[in-house]
Amino acid sequence: MSAPEVFPPPPEVSAAAHIPSFKKYQEMYERSVQEPNAFWGEIANSFYWRVPPSQPLLRYNFDITKGKIFVEWMKGGVTNICYNVLDRNVQEKNLGDKVAFYWEGNEPEDATSITYAELLKKVCQFANVLRDQGVKKGDRISIYMPMVIELVVAMLACARIGAIHSIVFAGFSAESLCERILDSHCSVLITADGFFRGDKLINLKVIADEALKKCAEKNYPLKKCIVLKHLGRDDVFCDGTSNASPPCKRPCPNMQENKQEKQKRSHPQTPWNPSVDLWWHDLMKNASLECEPEWCDAEDQLFILYTSGSTGKPKGVVHTVGGYMIFTATTFKYVFDYHQGDIYWCTADIGWITGHSYLTYGPLANGATSVLFEGLPIYPDISRMWQIIDKYSVSKFYTAPTAIRLLMKFGEEPVKRYSRKSLKILGTVGEPINPEAWLWYYNVVGDQRCPIVDTFWQTETGGHVLTPLPGATAAKPGSATFPFFGVVPAILDEAGEELEGEAEGYLVFKQPWPALMRTVYGNHERFETTYFKKFPGYYVTGDGCKRDKDGYYWITGRIDDMLNVSGHLLSTAEVESALVEHSSVAEAAAVSHPHPVKGECLYCFVTLRDGHEFNKTLIDQLKKLVREKIGPIATPDYIQNAPGLPKTRSGKIMRRVLRKIAKDDHDLGDISTLADTTVIQQLFSDRCKTVL
Ligand code: PRX
């Protein structure tokens, strides 16, 4: 592989940055790993503690051969995360009038905003509502809502009273919601009537009802379901008279709406079960604006978030109050180099960890102003993202490689229609970003002015663990670069030996940072087995990783996406990255496929850009490209034209399904997380039956 280009931080970014040089990063990093108690103790001191934590802050065991795995940070310290991200900003930092969120709805004309003081009031009210409904500290509350301000209100209200929120992404099915409610024994479900995703109406309450029916069939009849009227509110937005909450900022009345738009907004009656269902707005009417927080131990559970497991059954990842609070706040500050006055936009849904850590807790802990976007990247048109960036003068923008590749398909023109002059830093998360997408993001979106932070982390890690710092780290496209403060990575071989210098193998971490998950809800053994058994003494990420001669870390994809061709370890991500460098290819997915001689070989699916043709010449060019980029060993044995790829609702390619398609195996297992099942049949019928 030829040496990748290096992009040093722009001097003007470094000059104003919290961490202005790589030397400063190294000094702080050394201290963070040698003296974690002192390093994090100073950071913890900048938060409000009812009872300050005492030293040592960290107690843990990572070695399963020595006993139970546990991680504790600041145990005995007493605080409240909601108090820290709201009350403290309003009362001590004078940020009450500052906008916490600009909410941008699915339709461009639906927009509103909420200040820190207003958010605090709403959270207090809803916390009182929950208490009135009998919710107590430690109770689990399931939240199944669209991207609305009330979702943040609901989660912070739980945190305020010490209840444990379990947010289920609103794109999940009734079955998945039911499974998650049952696994964590939730006592209340908070949902909404429905919402529009593009021009598609999602009747969320209908799905929630189906989930509750399934729960009841499994002997778990949930007694309370609080329902936000969100679709109804669209009507409220337009009538020009009502006290819409949050208030409507777009010109009323409804004369502006044309007939077609109105039709789109019309929605069916919300199904209602009076013995279970409660309207959010009814409950809020008389709720007090003041609510004493529940003072919690730093190690009390803050939330559960389910993530998929290799066994098929999702794992309830548990994060606790104190460590998660200080780590998300610190990573947000340094990785996005946050300064007062920034407008920050993270496009992730709050239903995923990115939305928890970097749309809610991290930004709020810093008193930041964020954009909360309900809609889709290309609705109503392909310029929507760039239009929103200009509308709010977004300075820090955080999105996923899959979104970047999607937008790339439409070329530069839709981007260039908007100035994007406010942008300062760009971020990516969720999967390895192929250098071609990285360069497009850098050159086209960021006009070569904005450093890119490629942040590697997981639901389990709570926050960024490998990441560049924009004023300090010279970026290499496709590399998540170096560890964040307190994080000690290592690369192990199959035998569990640590590899030094340039190496490739299993990515593990040697000691805990404050936001590492503490357990799998209700199944500590699964936590120990999944993350600590394979290599005793280490947290095992499940990702493959390469360290180059300069010490940069390159995630090569999940270990299960690795393949061994004739005894050579290959990463499917590496092959995909080569394929998408071809000008005809918009997206590619490579999977391992059994081979009688080589053991495994590569089967590749490629989605072409509009107007490009799939033919023998293209196949030959692609094979040549992979050979050139990686070596003859990586030459694909199969390349199939794929009009679409099977993806989860969060945009991840389901390679497990592609492996089955390649083998003509119709037993696809659980495909409930698949966003669109219609591509599957087509992919089966277009299968390559012989080696190219
Ligand atoms: O494989 C890695 C990939 O996403 C996995 C974690 O997924 P999840 O828990 O859903 O959290 C996603 C958001 C943090 C990782 O094990 N991943 C995440 N970020 C990156 C990445 N792979 C490469 N580069 C990244 N920046």
Side-chain angles (χ1 to χ4, degrees):
M1 218 171 99
S2 52
E5 257 182 292
V6 178
F7 293 77
E12 61 283 10
V13 173
S14 300
H18 293 299
I19 316 270
S21 66
F22 197 64
K23 187 161 164 284
K24 176 76 178 163
Y25 156 73
Q26 283 173 313
E27 284 164 14
M28 286 179 71
Y29 176 74
E30 280 313 312
R31 182 155 179 264
S32 75
V33 297
Q34 314 255 308
E35 303 168 43
N37 288 298
F39 182 89
W40 292 108
E42 279 162 27
I43 289 172
N45 282 341
S46 64
F47 289 83
Y48 175 80
W49 295 86
R50 194 74 164 188
V51 178
S54 51
Q55 292 288 351
L57 301 186
L58 170 63
R59 292 186 184 84
Y60 77 103
N61 173 39
F62 257 23
D63 189 344
I64 200 163
T65 63
K66 295 199 174 126
K68 185 178 166 177
I69 301 292
F70 76 96
V71 174
E72 291 171 357
W73 282 91
M74 300 173 290
K75 195 172 166 80
V78 176
T79 188
N80 181 286
I81 191 169
C82 175
Y83 183 90
N84 271 286
V85 305
L86 292 182
D87 307 55
R88 200 176 49 122
N89 282 329
V90 173
Q91 285 150 25
E92 284 171 33
K93 300 192 174 170
N94 218 9
L95 297 177
D97 293 335
K98 188 173 177 184
V99 170
F101 290 104
Y102 287 112
W103 180 76
E104 174 80 10
N106 181 60
E107 301 294 331
E109 63 278 15
D110 285 349
T112 186
S113 63
I114 189 163
T115 65
Y116 273 88
E118 288 163 347
L119 185 58
L120 173 59
K121 280 188 203 152
K122 285 209 179 297
V123 168
C124 284
Q125 275 185 297
F126 196 66
N128 286 323
V129 163
L130 291 177
R131 276 191 176 146
D132 287 348
Q133 295 302 318
V135 177
K136 298 180 303 301
K137 183 176 177 205
D139 289 353
R140 278 81 51 217
I141 306 298
S142 191
I143 302 178
Y144 185 60
M145 293 175 86
M147 285 282 281
V148 289
I149 288 170
E150 285 81 359
L151 170 52
V152 177
V153 171
M155 72 199 285
L156 292 179
C158 288
R160 191 167 191 88
I161 63 169
I164 301 165
H165 57 73
S166 166
I167 302 182
V168 179
F169 172 57
F172 272 124
S173 64
E175 187 71 47
S176 307
L177 176 60
C178 163
E179 189 178 14
R180 285 156 176 75
I181 291 173
L182 293 179
D183 188 76
S184 49
H185 296 101
C186 290
S187 56
V188 175
L189 171 65
I190 305 168
T191 188
D193 50 356
F195 62 102
F196 278 92
R197 195 188 285 285
D199 45 22
K200 189 170 163 206
L201 172 65
I202 314 288
N203 279 311
L204 203 62
K205 178 62 165 53
V206 173
I207 308 171
D209 280 355
E210 211 181 308
L212 295 192
K213 193 165 148 243
K214 286 176 191 289
C215 288
E217 281 162 13
K218 296 189 173 151
N219 278 330
Y220 194 81
L222 210 75
K223 300 278 165 43
K224 288 180 202 303
C225 178
I226 300 176
V227 188
L228 176 80
K229 192 168 191 153
H230 178 51
L231 286 173
R233 179 162 64 199
D234 266 358
D235 299 342
V236 173
F237 270 171
C238 315
D239 74 9
T241 57
S242 84
N243 294 320
S245 168
C248 170
K249 295 268 166 76
R250 79 175 143 122
C252 294
N254 48 6
M255 274 89 83
Q256 290 204 343
E257 292 207 359
N258 64 34
K259 214 171 152 202
Q260 201 190 0
E261 230 182 329
K262 265 220 151 140
Q263 259 166 6
K264 240 177 2 191
R265 283 164 193 284
S266 69
H267 51 85
Q269 193 95 45
T270 306
W272 205 250
N273 175 356
S275 60
V276 174
D277 297 335
L278 301 153
W279 280 118
W280 172 295
H281 55 266
D282 284 344
L283 298 172
M284 288 286 267
K285 254 180 224 152
N286 301 318
S288 160
L289 298 175
E290 274 161 37
C291 174
E292 175 66 11
E294 181 80 38
W295 297 104
C296 299
D297 191 285
E299 278 301 329
D300 281 343
Q301 299 191 348
L302 172 64
F303 67 83
I304 304 167
L305 184 58
Y306 285 86
T307 184
S308 51
S310 50
T311 60
K313 185 177 154 51
K315 300 178 290 248
V317 169
V318 172
H319 285 288
T320 54
V321 172
Y324 182 81
M325 173 172 81
I326 65 171
F327 195 74
T328 52
T330 309
T331 42
F332 179 79
K333 173 179 168 184
Y334 291 124
V335 174
F336 299 110
D337 193 39
Y338 172 72
H339 294 273
Q340 281 288 345
D342 273 332
I343 306 290
Y344 166 80
W345 182 19
C346 164
T347 64
D349 193 288
I350 292 177
W352 308 111
I353 191 67
T354 307
H356 282 58
S357 301
Y358 299 114
L359 189 45
T360 311
Y361 290 110
L364 291 176
N366 283 274
T369 297
S370 301
V371 176
L372 200 170
F373 178 42
E374 184 191 31
L376 295 174
I378 54 170
Y379 177 86
D381 70 67
I382 52 177
S383 269
R384 186 79 195 272
M385 307 292 268
W386 325 118
Q387 176 250 326
I388 293 175
I389 286 173
D390 275 9
K391 176 175 177 185
Y392 295 104
S393 297
V394 171
S395 52
K396 312 282 161 86
F397 179 59
Y398 193 31
T399 194
T402 182
I404 298 167
R405 288 194 298 262
L406 169 74
L407 295 162
M408 261 173 87
K409 264 178 51 162
F410 303 105
E412 297 187 11
E413 189 277 326
V415 190
K416 302 286 178 192
R417 247 182 255 165
Y418 292 89
S419 90
R420 294 153 287 109
K421 64 179 191 299
S422 54
L423 284 175
K424 290 184 180 156
I425 289 165
L426 304 173
T428 84
V429 59
E431 55 179 312
I433 179 163
N434 49 299
E436 201 208 0
W438 194 102
L439 289 168
W440 188 84
Y441 200 25
Y442 182 78
N443 290 325
V444 180
V445 179
D447 285 329
Q448 305 184 339
R449 284 184 290 111
C450 308
I452 295 180
V453 286
D454 174 357
T455 61
F456 166 82
W457 59 296
Q458 307 174 301
T459 305
E460 294 88 336
T461 70
H464 306 141
V465 283
L466 297 178
T467 177
L469 299 179
T473 317
K476 293 187 187 183
S479 168
T481 73
F482 299 104
F484 189 73
F485 304 136
V487 175
V488 186
I491 297 181
L492 304 186
D493 66 13
E494 190 60 49
E497 292 297 320
E498 274 189 40
L499 303 172
E500 302 296 331
E502 261 185 274
E504 179 159 1
Y506 293 90
L507 176 67
V508 299
F509 294 113
K510 294 168 74 161
Q511 63 190 52
W513 55 95
L516 177 64
M517 73 183 286
R518 302 300 199 255
T519 189
V520 169
Y521 190 82
N523 195 345
H524 196 70
E525 200 188 329
R526 188 166 179 207
F527 171 61
E528 296 181 322
T529 316
T530 311
Y531 304 103
F532 295 93
K533 200 161 169 194
K534 188 171 171 70
F535 300 121
Y538 301 94
Y539 165 82
V540 181
T541 60
D543 282 293
C545 185
K546 203 158 62 176
R547 191 170 42 223
D548 71 13
K549 62 179 185 352
D550 303 320
Y552 280 68
Y553 288 87
W554 299 74
I555 303 297
T556 52
R558 300 293 302 179
I559 295 293
D560 45 15
D561 291 335
M562 299 279 262
L563 72 162
N564 201 314
V565 178
S566 304
H568 296 269
L569 203 59
L570 277 180
S571 140
T572 53
E574 223 173 349
V575 177
E576 289 162 10
S577 161
L579 291 170
V580 294
E581 282 193 27
H582 193 285
S583 57
S584 300
V585 177
E587 193 153 36
V591 296
S592 68
H593 190 64
H595 189 280
V597 180
K598 303 178 189 176
E600 288 179 308
C601 68
L602 276 157
Y603 192 119
C604 303
F605 296 84
V606 292
T607 305
L608 301 189
R609 288 173 194 270
D610 291 347
H612 291 257
E613 203 189 327
F614 188 83
N615 53 28
K616 173 89 172 65
T617 316
L618 176 67
I619 291 170
D620 290 343
Q621 285 171 354
L622 290 174
K623 286 168 77 174
K624 185 161 167 274
L625 189 61
V626 177
R627 267 202 297 273
E628 278 171 6
K629 289 278 155 193
I630 307 169
I633 188 72
T635 311
D637 280 30
Y638 303 88
I639 298 178
Q640 176 175 337
N641 184 19
L645 291 169
K647 290 186 181 173
T648 62
R649 292 182 185 86
S650 65
K652 281 208 182 122
I653 297 169
M654 293 182 78
R655 292 183 180 74
R656 178 176 66 76
V657 171
L658 290 173
R659 275 195 289 271
K660 297 263 187 176
I661 292 170
K663 285 196 275 189
D664 202 20
D665 179 351
H666 289 253
D667 182 11
L668 297 180
D670 177 14
I671 51 165
S672 60
T673 55
L674 196 64
D676 174 13
T677 47
T678 55
V679 294
I680 302 280
Q681 207 36 55
Q682 173 93 47
L683 291 175
F684 268 117
S685 28
D686 293 353
R687 268 184 65 249
C688 307
K689 293 174 190 72
T690 49
V691 175
L692 296 170

